[in-house]
Amino acid sequence: MSREIPLLSIICTAYNQESYIDQTLKGFVSQKTTFPFEIIVHDDASTDGTSSIVREYASKYPDQFVTIFQTENQYSKGDYTIDRLVYGVAKGKYIALCEGDDYWIDPFKLQKQVDFLEKNHDYGLVYSKVKVFNQKDKKFLKKPFGSPFRSIEELFIFNYIPTPTVVFKSVMYKDYICDINPYEKKWLMGDYPLWMYIASRSKIKYIYNSYSVYRLLESSAAHSPDFRKELSFVESYAEIKLYFMHRLGYTHLEKTIRANCFVNKTRIYLFKNEKDISELVREIDKCDTKSLKINIIRSVISSRILRNMLKLYWSR
């Protein structure tokens, strides 16, 4: 492909993904499109062979690849790397995201999604369901992840949008950075608040196909063997929801958001820190109203373990 102004920019962030990055990059260069696209790979100072594999692809496809190799890990420093990528490097009208351990399985993924956005200007983002591959068990889960939602209120409750499936307008991202300034908020999720912002500004399209694979690893931002890290992730998830709840005027959802956060934290305590239930009791004590406590109980009433634990608490 000749050096043309790309219609779309693929952004891939990678760190120590030597075992997976080849499959990721192969999915990029296999895309068949009628428009030019660029592939931006940001390697965050990997200590394995990830950067070598990226360099091999960049050498083979010099007209498509734009590479950034860090000498110090920026994520550990709290650096919001993707901001600089989109502003300073990405040239496309549209952005596609895929991390270095996920991959695409449909060579026409980008063409189908861009075709839709080009014909439907009131839509800001398009996504699909994703197949989930459990790396530990070396097999796909029976049920894919990702489904349509009818309103932004549903997106407040659950993140329906798998990151490796999306294509969105780059102007939406630039507006998001200017309006929200997410890097100052220190949120632990980079994708979900962006989805919330785009959903508040435009329509979002769900396509009933699987174009991508999400690799479920034992350790990631959302899944960690360290229960403290997983708790922090759940708390940040709720913080994002509460921020947009106030910003967009959906304050009637506060009880549901806080109850869901409590339920998720309860699962972590039960399955990863069973010996320290006292902390969970203190979490219940933080509930500021009786109605919120009742809402929490309703949220967990279907679980026998949680129900018994709450009985112990209320009988103190």
Side-chain angles (χ1 to χ4, degrees), residues 48-313:
D48 60 2
T50 299
S51 60
S52 297
I53 297 172
V54 173
R55 285 188 170 91
E56 288 178 13
Y57 271 85
S59 176
K60 189 174 181 180
Y61 303 94
D63 292 329
Q64 281 186 278
F65 272 78
V66 178
T67 56
I68 302 171
F69 297 101
Q70 299 288 350
T71 57
E72 290 184 85
N73 185 270
Q74 302 300 301
Y75 180 81
S76 62
K77 295 160 61 175
D79 191 349
Y80 213 91
T81 303
I82 198 172
D83 297 352
R84 296 201 314 275
L85 289 177
V86 173
Y87 269 129
V89 181
K91 300 181 179 67
K93 177 182 177 181
Y94 301 108
I95 300 290
L97 300 179
C98 186
E99 296 186 357
D101 49 7
D102 302 326
Y103 59 99
W104 297 341
I105 53 178
D106 186 344
F108 297 99
K109 173 191 184 296
L110 296 182
Q111 185 69 58
K112 295 172 184 176
Q113 293 178 301
V114 169
D115 282 348
F116 177 84
L117 291 174
E118 287 283 271
K119 295 174 183 177
N120 298 273
H121 301 292
D122 51 341
Y123 285 80
L125 181 149
V126 59
Y127 73 103
S128 65
K129 58 186 175 182
V130 65
K131 294 183 177 180
V132 181
F133 183 76
N134 187 314
Q135 187 63 36
K136 181 180 179 180
D137 297 336
K138 298 289 191 288
K139 63 181 181 181
F140 284 95
L141 302 188
K142 292 182 179 179
K143 189 175 181 180
F145 169 66
S147 56
F149 57 94
R150 292 169 294 181
S151 68
I152 193 172
E153 288 197 22
E154 293 186 1
L155 196 58
F156 270 106
I157 306 305
F158 184 73
N159 182 9
Y160 291 88
I161 304 175
T163 301
T165 74
V166 302
V167 170
F168 58 90
K169 294 177 179 177
S170 60
V171 67
M172 287 286 182
Y173 195 96
K174 294 174 182 178
D175 290 346
Y176 164 70
I177 297 303
C178 292
D179 291 351
I180 306 299
N181 200 7
Y183 40 80
E184 287 193 353
K185 296 177 174 57
K186 307 296 182 182
W187 289 330
L188 298 182
M189 298 178 73
D191 52 2
Y192 179 65
L194 175 59
W195 310 157
M196 290 297 298
Y197 181 78
I198 295 176
S200 73
R201 294 278 307 278
S202 71
K203 293 181 180 180
I204 290 180
K205 174 67 175 179
Y206 174 77
I207 298 177
Y208 289 83
N209 297 96
S210 292
Y211 298 148
S212 315
V213 173
Y214 172 78
R215 199 182 302 271
L216 183 62
L217 302 174
E218 291 188 75
S219 181
S220 66
H223 308 92
S224 173
D226 183 340
F227 93 100
R228 292 286 177 191
K229 289 183 178 180
E230 198 154 341
L231 281 176
S232 296
F233 185 86
V234 168
E235 289 168 353
S236 184
Y237 188 28
E239 183 183 336
I240 294 166
K241 293 180 179 183
L242 293 171
Y243 171 83
F244 281 98
M245 177 199 75
H246 288 291
R247 178 183 173 89
L248 302 176
Y250 288 89
T251 53
H252 61 284
L253 296 175
E254 180 171 2
K255 292 178 182 179
T256 301
I257 292 171
R258 293 190 183 278
N260 287 347
C261 178
F262 174 83
V263 171
N264 289 331
K265 291 171 73 173
T266 299
R267 292 192 182 108
I268 295 171
Y269 278 112
L270 286 174
F271 296 111
K272 295 195 175 183
N273 193 43
E274 298 91 339
K275 297 180 181 179
D276 199 3
I277 299 300
S278 60
E279 288 196 37
L280 184 60
V281 171
R282 288 196 290 273
E283 287 292 329
I284 299 177
D285 284 331
K286 290 180 183 178
C287 299
D288 52 2
T289 65
K290 181 178 180 181
S291 61
L292 181 54
K293 292 178 181 180
I294 292 173
N295 203 44
I296 288 172
I297 293 176
R298 287 173 177 167
S299 298
V300 301
I301 200 69
S302 61
S303 169
R304 179 180 57 82
I305 298 175
L306 299 182
R307 187 166 64 247
N308 290 339
M309 187 189 68
L310 285 171
K311 284 181 180 178
L312 289 175
Y313 168 74

